[in-house]
Amino acid sequence: MQGTILVGTAGQGIVRSVDNGATWHRLGLKEAIEFDGVVRSLAVDPSDPARVLAGADVGICLSTDGGAHFKRIASPADDQTVWSIAFSPSNPKLVFAGTGAPSRACMFRSRDGGLSWQQLDVELPEFCSGVHKPRILTIFVRADAPQEVWFGVEEGGAWRSNDEGDSWTRIDTPGRGINNSDIHAITVLPATADAPVKHVVVTVNSVCESSDDAASFTAKASKERFDGMYYTRTIQALDPQGNQLLLAIGDGTPGTRTRIYRSEDRGQSWQLSVLHTAPNSTVWAFGGHPSDPQLLFAGTKYGYLLRSTDGGRSWYKEWRDFSEITSVAWTPFVAPVHAHPQSID
């Protein structure tokens, strides 16, 4: 495999490997992201695998060499903790970012691929009951309808825009079927010859699905579907049609048990993936790249990095342990090893 593995952590900044995981290095001492900092999100530019955006505790940072170096992009999110970043798959110039605890939860947009940013007009609560200060955990931009953008807040609801973020509507309103305002992940599966568009909103304890353009949802309790586990962390489509999905779930946060499930029928049924090493905590994040859909990574709350080479059917633990893994990315661009890397080998 030729490429660069990037692991975002809470406590070690970004840790990366350019030799298929044989060795690992943190960023250098003079980077915008501290080598012992917090990085909550990573996003690879769909049009250029050398460009990587990182959401860190200093704001929004950009690499143009596959993660070897990062500079902070001046923005209204400076010195705030950025929890999520997402490129529009069909228009990579359009990018969204969301902040959260310990910062105020806010949404931001770039129309030039992340070089400049504006704060968007959506008012979110400053405090909440479950996690004290809300954080935007997920952003999703539809590839087949790029004007439609979603974000989800822990805790603060599911929000939708139909005009590229100019205006927003809260979707988890009473009577609509989304059972909880604690939103962990959102994805939209495009229509196929056999199925309509499906909107999927993952709450802390359920998977909520809609086939009527998000007018109504059916919430299915996770503990009744997934081996008694309730803490539904994230979901990811593996193919453009949305037929194949991965779902990560655990028995809590950080959790003592976790599972990865795989679906080949748009989430109607789920099969348990094989974890060759029992993870030490809940799987927190998935990472991959369309250039190799069989190669996937998963990171746990307490620092296990898992790898799959068969599209998520089975997973092996990497030899290196990390601090809390918050995000994982893989890019086919082979990043250079800079002059003074901070080795953790």
Side-chain angles (χ1 to χ4, degrees):
M1 177 195 70
Q2 293 294 316
T4 303
I5 310 168
L6 299 169
V7 181
T9 74
Q12 291 185 321
I14 293 174
V15 185
R16 66 190 183 93
S17 176
V18 296
D19 55 10
N20 198 27
T23 60
W24 294 90
H25 301 275
R26 289 188 285 175
L27 297 177
L29 296 178
K30 296 183 179 181
E31 298 291 328
I33 298 173
E34 288 286 340
F35 72 94
D36 58 357
V38 176
V39 174
R40 294 287 180 186
S41 53
L42 293 165
V44 178
D45 188 328
S47 64
D48 182 355
R51 297 184 81 249
V52 182
L53 285 173
D57 52 3
V58 296
I60 300 169
C61 299
L62 171 67
S63 173
T64 57
D65 56 8
H69 301 281
F70 281 86
K71 65 178 180 179
R72 188 172 73 169
I73 302 298
S75 79
D78 282 356
D79 298 317
Q80 299 183 55
T81 298
V82 178
W83 281 75
S84 53
I85 295 180
F87 284 91
S88 168
S90 56
N91 175 20
K93 294 294 184 182
L94 182 64
V95 198
F96 293 88
T99 55
S103 310
R104 184 72 184 264
C106 299
M107 278 291 292
F108 303 87
R109 178 179 63 194
S110 172
R111 291 192 179 276
D112 56 10
L115 298 179
S116 63
W117 295 83
Q118 67 176 126
Q119 185 171 337
L120 298 179
D121 185 18
V122 54
E123 185 173 351
L124 300 172
E126 184 174 0
F127 299 100
C128 59
S129 60
V131 290
H132 184 56
K133 285 192 173 183
R135 62 287 308 265
I136 296 173
L137 290 186
T138 182
I139 302 172
F140 185 86
V141 187
R142 281 184 63 176
D144 60 328
Q147 73 279 0
E148 183 179 341
V149 187
W150 288 75
F151 72 87
V153 191
E154 180 192 39
E155 302 168 356
W159 296 76
R160 178 188 190 180
S161 173
N162 287 319
D163 52 17
E164 296 185 345
D166 287 340
S167 61
W168 297 89
T169 301
R170 186 165 178 174
I171 300 301
D172 61 314
T173 51
R176 209 161 196 159
I178 297 176
N179 69 314
N180 200 303
S181 66
D182 187 350
I183 310 299
H184 284 187
I186 297 173
T187 191
V188 183
L189 312 182
T192 67
D194 303 315
V197 173
K198 177 186 279 191
H199 290 78
V200 182
V201 175
V202 173
T203 73
V204 64
N205 58 15
S206 299
V207 178
C208 309
E209 301 176 348
S210 173
S211 57
D212 59 4
D213 196 33
S216 63
F217 286 80
T218 299
K220 300 179 181 179
S222 295
K223 65 181 180 180
E224 298 174 2
R225 305 175 72 192
F226 303 113
D227 192 29
M229 292 181 291
Y230 83 95
Y231 191 77
T232 322
R233 186 60 194 179
T234 192
I235 191 169
Q236 180 168 314
L238 301 179
D239 62 313
Q241 297 75 32
N243 294 319
Q244 301 177 50
L245 302 171
L246 285 182
L247 181 135
I249 192 166
D251 61 356
T253 172
T256 59
R257 292 191 304 135
T258 190
R259 299 285 187 271
I260 295 175
Y261 288 86
R262 192 178 189 279
S263 176
E264 297 187 357
D265 56 10
R266 297 167 66 89
Q268 295 183 52
S269 62
W270 296 91
Q271 296 76 46
L272 186 63
S273 297
V274 177
L275 303 181
H276 290 280
T277 298
N280 62 351
S281 53
T282 294
V283 168
W284 221 241
F286 292 126
H289 194 274
S291 62
D292 187 352
Q294 298 302 305
L295 177 63
L296 299 166
F297 294 91
T300 73
K301 175 78 169 178
Y302 277 173
Y304 280 17
L305 181 64
L306 311 177
R307 181 198 301 241
S308 174
T309 57
D310 58 7
R313 295 173 177 84
S314 61
W315 299 81
Y316 290 87
K317 180 184 177 297
E318 296 292 299
W319 71 271
R320 165 59 63 193
D321 289 350
F322 303 80
S323 59
E324 176 186 343
I325 295 177
T326 60
S327 52
V328 189
W330 180 79
T331 169
F333 181 85
V334 180
V337 177
H338 49 74
H340 301 289
Q342 299 298 305
S343 175
I344 62 168
D345 303 329

